[in-house]
């Protein structure tokens, strides 16, 4: 028996979601929880649709990411009802008949038009409906009661064994593709061709991966969300930063690696130092640890590396206090991940609402909670040579903190980021990404 088999884990997943839904209904004073899968969006004045993004609440219950105009209905004490649209349509491939590990655990109703759902939904006055406005069907207009959403989003931080099993598959898919991308880089491919090699190896196209691939050669690595994909490679590529994931049943992997073409270069040595520091940070993903502290500690650790390489001329503590460290590490250490790459509730103070603020001076941190077993977070420290931010260092009177000749030496390489996805447990953390690269 494979203990990580989603089919075996699904009944527990369903039981957890039913219990959470019961509580969400109690808190919002409703009797039924309705989750529309979502409807297609069209480009303005056009009949062209955008890639369909299913309602994350829907794919929490069901491993379905492509069915539109369908509904999940939860009523306490009853089997979940799935209203599944399988239209008569000879223009498109329609969703297959319901199949898979989930079917036997729910009550399935196949409908042929979206409106047929109306006869199957419970009385609207007693429903909490979670979704976006364009999922409305007649009187069934998503109302997203805050008490229900606060609770469900908070609880979504605690991944079940079923969810972790699906996330592991996404990790393996992404890691395999990262290997292919590195080979393409070393063969001298352009960003566009590396991206294509990645997608081919992941067996996922640009609309299926969980976020736009960042495939950055040389100085492009200094653009945090670089998504341009140059069609021609540089004459002599120096470095490669790739931030790319994969999806499985709606769950995301989010992985970054950085490589120097010359394995003996000083830049590769700096990459190796960041990699070692990143693994130490991953080891800090332990129950009871405040993620904000991990983030601040990461600043000190990264500034220690810059000092070792002669870029920083002051202590890590001084660089942090003056804001110089934020010029080299200008984003957050990471974020929750799961059904969304940037998963919900990273700032949630409780399951009844409230926000845990970011530490002052760290406006881009996406996770401020204390870690607990079941949470999955990314750990993604980086060091970049970004002229716009380094100019600020000079303007703010801190030019003396930096050896600018050393900055000049590293600038052509752009930047470094190393990112893994890490599961917090009751004991040692489990890095979901590293073993996937080992396979
Ligand atoms: N790939 C986006 C991020 O790392 O947050
Ligand atoms: Mn990330
Ligand atoms: Mn990423």
């Amino acid at each position: 028996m494979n203990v990580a088999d989603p089919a075996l884990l699904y009944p527990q997943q369903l039981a957890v979601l039913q219990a959470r839904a019961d509580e969400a209904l109690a808190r919002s004073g409703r009797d039924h929880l309705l989750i529309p899968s979502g409807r297609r969006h069209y480009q303005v004045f056009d009949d062209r649709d955008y890639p369909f993004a299913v309602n994350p609440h829907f794919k929490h219950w069901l491993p379905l990411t492509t069915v539109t105009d369908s509904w999940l209905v939860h009523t306490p004490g009853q089997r979940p009802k799935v209203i599944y649209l399988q239209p008569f349509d000879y223009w498109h491939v329609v969703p297959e008949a319901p199949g898979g590990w989930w079917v036997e655990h729910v009550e399935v109703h196949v409908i042929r038009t979206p409106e047929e759902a109306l006869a199957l939904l419970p009385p609207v006055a007693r429903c909490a409906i979670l979704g976006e406005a364009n999922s409305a069907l007649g009187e069934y207009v998503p109302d997203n009661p805050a008490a229900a959403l606060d609770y469900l989003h908070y609880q979504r931080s605690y991944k079940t064994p079923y969810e972790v099993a699906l996330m592991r598959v996404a990790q393996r898919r992404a890691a395999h593709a990262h290997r292919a991308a590195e080979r393409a880089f070393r063969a001298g491919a352009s960003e566009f061709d590396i991206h294509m090699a990645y997608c081919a190896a992941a067996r996922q196209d640009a609309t299926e991966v969980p976020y736009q691939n960042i495939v950055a050669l040389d100085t492009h690595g200094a653009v945090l969300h670089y998504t341009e994909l140059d069609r021609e490679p540089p004459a002599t590529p120096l470095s490669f930063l790739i931030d790319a994931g994969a999806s499985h049943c709606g769950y995301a992997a989010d992985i970054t690696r950085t490589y120097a073409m010359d394995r003996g270069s000083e830049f590769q040595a700096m990459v190796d130092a960041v990699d070692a520091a990143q693994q130490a940070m991953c080891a800090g993903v332990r129950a009871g640890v405040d993620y904000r502290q991990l983030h601040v500690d990461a600043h000190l650790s990264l500034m220690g590396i810059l000092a070792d390489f002669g870029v920083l001329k002051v202590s890590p503590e001084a660089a942090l206090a003056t804001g110089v460290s934020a010029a080299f590490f200008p984003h957050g250490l990471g974020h929750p991940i799961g059904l969304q790459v940037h998963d919900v509730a990273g700032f949630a103070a409780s399951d009844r609402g409230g926000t845990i603020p970011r530490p002052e001076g760290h406006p881009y941190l996406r996770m401020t909670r204390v870690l607990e077993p079941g949470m999955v977070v990314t750990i993604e420290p980086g060091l970049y040579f970004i002229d716009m931010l380094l100019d600020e260092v000079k303007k703010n009177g801190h030019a003396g903190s930096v050896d600018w000749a050393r900055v000049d030496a590293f600038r052509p390489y752009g930047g470094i980021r190393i990112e893994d996805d890490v599961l917090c447990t009751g004991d040692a953390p489990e890095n979901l990404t590293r073993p996937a690269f080992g396979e």
Side-chain angles (χ1 to χ4, degrees):
M1 185 178 87
N2 176 3
V3 289
D5 183 350
L8 300 176
L9 297 170
Y10 186 69
Q12 187 214 353
Q13 167 76 356
L14 213 45
V16 168
L17 295 188
Q18 286 172 306
R20 291 181 190 170
D22 286 355
E23 179 64 19
L25 287 172
R27 290 183 180 205
S28 55
R30 315 292 173 90
D31 297 335
H32 311 276
L33 186 70
L34 270 52
I35 304 174
S37 66
R39 196 166 275 167
R40 292 190 191 288
H41 286 265
Y42 290 87
Q43 297 182 12
V44 65
F45 304 133
D46 204 332
D47 64 357
R48 190 171 167 205
D49 54 342
Y50 291 103
F52 176 66
V54 73
N55 182 343
H57 290 277
F58 188 84
K59 62 180 175 172
H60 206 188
W61 287 76
L62 301 162
L64 303 175
T65 57
T66 58
V67 295
T68 69
D69 302 280
S70 298
W71 297 76
L72 182 286
V73 180
H74 167 77
T75 303
Q78 297 183 15
R79 271 160 91 81
K81 184 192 280 189
V82 178
I83 302 170
Y84 185 100
L85 177 67
Q86 195 187 23
F88 293 117
D89 177 352
Y90 56 86
W91 290 92
H92 306 99
V93 172
V94 300
E96 290 178 7
W101 60 69
W102 56 277
V103 174
E104 65 183 282
H105 302 283
V106 301
E107 182 186 308
V108 185
H109 300 259
V110 173
I111 55 174
R112 300 301 185 178
T113 67
E115 293 69 29
E116 284 175 37
L118 287 168
L120 295 161
L121 294 170
V124 68
R126 303 304 311 149
C127 294
I129 308 177
L130 308 184
E132 60 178 342
N134 95 326
S135 296
L137 178 68
E139 291 181 292
Y140 291 85
V141 179
D143 61 339
N144 298 316
L149 274 188
D150 285 343
Y151 180 75
L152 292 175
H153 283 174
Y154 191 85
Q155 294 300 326
R156 217 166 93 188
S157 307
Y158 310 109
K159 270 61 180 181
T160 64
Y162 167 85
E163 296 184 282
V164 173
L166 297 181
M167 291 182 78
R168 282 186 212 283
V169 179
Q171 295 288 328
R172 287 198 286 274
R173 194 181 270 272
H176 176 69
H178 269 262
R179 290 280 188 229
E182 184 193 355
R183 283 194 297 276
F185 161 65
R186 297 209 181 278
S190 68
E191 292 168 347
F192 183 82
D193 288 324
I194 296 171
H195 164 75
M196 296 305 277
Y198 184 94
C199 289
R203 312 308 293 159
Q204 293 191 334
D205 78 11
T207 65
E208 294 171 302
V209 291
Y211 56 91
Q212 245 185 308
N213 283 353
I214 294 169
V215 176
L217 295 175
D218 298 352
T219 54
H220 295 160
V223 181
L224 298 182
H225 279 174
Y226 175 84
T227 52
E228 296 300 308
L229 299 176
D230 274 358
R231 267 53 174 180
E232 295 298 327
T236 50
L238 298 172
S239 63
F240 174 39
L241 185 156
I242 174 167
D243 184 343
S247 305
H248 184 66
C249 295
Y251 285 87
D254 180 8
I255 302 175
T256 309
R257 291 292 183 267
T258 309
Y259 308 95
M261 186 65 91
D262 176 358
R263 296 173 202 265
S265 63
E266 211 176 12
F267 183 71
Q268 182 65 56
M270 191 184 275
V271 170
D272 292 342
V274 173
D275 189 80
Q278 188 263 5
Q279 293 209 49
M281 295 169 201
C282 291
V285 176
R286 284 187 168 266
V289 170
D290 188 329
Y291 196 91
R292 293 174 298 181
Q293 189 63 48
L294 287 183
H295 171 82
V296 171
D297 291 347
H299 270 264
L300 297 175
S301 165
L302 291 164
M303 291 312 106
I305 292 170
L306 284 187
D308 290 346
F309 280 80
V311 175
L312 189 70
K313 298 201 295 187
V314 295
S315 70
E317 289 76 12
L320 179 63
T322 55
V324 169
S325 71
F328 292 102
F329 176 38
H331 58 73
L333 179 62
H335 48 86
I337 182 170
L339 288 164
Q340 296 163 220
V341 175
H342 296 158
D343 213 359
V344 290
F347 306 104
S350 80
D351 62 12
R352 293 187 183 274
T355 299
I356 305 171
R358 298 178 170 108
E360 207 176 323
H362 299 269
Y364 299 112
L365 185 59
R366 288 176 172 274
M367 169 72 179
T368 54
R369 288 172 66 179
V370 171
L371 292 162
E372 294 175 65
M375 291 181 173
V376 182
V377 293
T378 69
I379 295 291
E380 49 182 304
L383 283 175
Y384 311 85
F385 300 92
I386 303 173
D387 283 328
M388 192 191 305
L389 299 180
L390 295 173
D391 286 347
E392 288 293 310
V393 169
K394 290 177 186 163
K395 273 192 210 137
N396 293 339
H398 301 298
S401 301
V402 174
D403 183 330
W404 297 98
R406 298 296 286 151
V407 168
D408 290 344
F410 286 106
R411 185 185 289 105
Y413 298 87
I416 300 169
R417 182 163 66 256
I418 309 287
E419 177 176 26
D420 292 340
D421 305 340
V422 183
L423 170 66
C424 182
T425 76
D427 195 356
E430 194 181 334
N431 188 316
L432 301 178
T433 305
R434 298 270 164 166
F437 272 84
E439 280 172 16

